Amino acid sequence: APPFAFVSSFAPASAVFDRCSRRCPLTSAPRPANTAPARVSPSASHDLNGLTIAKPLAPLRNNLLVKLAEASEKTSGGIILAATAVEKPNYGVVAAVGPGSFFPNGTPIPMAIAAGDTVLFGKYGGNDVEYDGKKHTFVTQDDVLCTLDGGEYKVSAVRCVYDRVLVKKAKAEEKTASGLLLAASAAEVPNSGTVVAVGPGRLMENGEMEEVAVTEGDCVMYTKYGGTEMKFDNEDYIVLRLADIYAKY
């Protein structure tokens, strides 16, 4: 295998966005930070946690209101789960978005997510609310790991946001160098894998974009303590930030 190559590349944000399609891997083209936030519904009143409110929820800054996907009530083997064992879904459809935020120096951070996008976010983020009879959660744009094209929960639908990278994790060795079989608990999980999808890059305070200098098919080494793990079709994946990746080969 060729020697490791360390990643570092910069490009104007406009150049990176121009290479995207009309709905680029962000998933949608960034909106100016002063654009009015998307509204959930024009109806006169809404229900929020059992209370009637006169206006629809309008997220501020880089917050998103996400309508959660329905929780699975069965395991993959068909066993019905008790209500307390049903895992909260960490994806759903964006109902409304805020107008965007700013770096400390005043450079705007545009919203890369639009109302109607299906987003996947970290399992431990979010602030849950009951809104118009449905379960919703508030997350920030920074919490979003990727969008899912067509709302399908499958790896081919993943579109990474900003500098996120989706990596299929390498499998742990089940044998020692001498051929001895290892117990599952003794098999060390490697911090390497194959890149499956990449975002367009990291937006910097000067408004330029640091490109993600890895591409689909690259093998990478990454930190053991970063990223968010997930499964697609019983295969192990991890979503990392550019800063979590040490090298490619």
Side-chain angles (χ1 to χ4, degrees):
F4 290 107
F6 291 89
V7 297
S8 179
S9 179
F10 302 92
S14 59
V16 176
F17 292 137
D18 287 346
R19 289 199 297 272
C20 298
S21 63
R22 294 294 180 187
R23 288 182 61 78
C24 68
L26 286 180
T27 271
S28 53
R31 298 185 297 111
N34 60 355
T35 302
R39 299 286 179 168
V40 179
S41 167
S43 61
S45 63
H46 297 267
D47 182 83
L48 176 62
N49 292 333
L51 299 175
T52 299
I53 57 176
K55 297 180 180 180
L57 285 174
L60 304 178
R61 301 187 79 252
N62 65 341
N63 291 299
L64 311 170
L65 178 64
V66 179
K67 181 182 176 183
L68 291 172
E70 295 293 331
S72 175
E73 297 181 353
K74 293 183 179 181
T75 67
S76 57
I79 298 173
I80 297 176
L81 296 169
T84 54
V86 174
E87 187 175 1
K88 169 190 166 184
N90 63 322
Y91 69 101
V93 177
V94 176
V97 302
S101 57
F102 297 86
F103 285 112
N105 67 356
T107 300
I109 304 173
M111 293 301 288
I113 310 297
D117 288 343
T118 300
V119 295
L120 182 65
F121 49 88
K123 288 187 176 182
Y124 304 107
N127 187 359
D128 296 346
V129 295
E130 191 88 8
Y131 185 62
D132 287 344
K134 300 291 184 181
K135 292 182 179 179
H136 289 69
T137 192
F138 279 105
V139 295
T140 69
Q141 181 166 251
D142 293 336
D143 295 325
V144 175
L145 305 174
C146 63
T147 62
L148 298 170
D149 258 7
E152 296 185 276
Y153 192 90
K154 60 183 184 181
V155 70
S156 62
V158 169
R159 300 292 179 266
C160 292
V161 177
Y162 280 120
D163 64 337
R164 305 280 191 175
V165 179
L166 178 66
V167 173
K168 184 176 182 180
K169 299 179 67 175
K171 295 186 182 297
E173 290 291 338
E174 296 179 354
K175 292 182 180 181
T176 65
S178 60
L180 294 175
L181 289 173
L182 292 169
S185 58
E188 184 176 357
V189 178
N191 59 325
S192 61
T194 304
V195 174
V196 175
V198 301
R202 179 179 71 92
L203 183 64
M204 299 184 292
E205 290 193 30
N206 62 2
E208 293 187 344
M209 187 74 73
E210 179 185 5
E211 293 188 64
V212 179
V214 296
T215 58
E216 293 179 21
D218 284 346
C219 294
V220 294
M221 276 193 77
Y222 52 85
T223 175
K224 289 184 178 181
Y225 306 106
T228 301
E229 296 183 348
M230 60 190 64
K231 282 185 179 289
F232 290 102
D233 296 325
N234 291 319
E235 296 282 355
D236 293 322
Y237 293 82
I238 187 169
V239 175
L240 302 158
R241 289 190 180 274
L242 176 60
D244 295 326
I245 298 176
Y246 293 138
K248 65 179 182 180
Y249 57 97

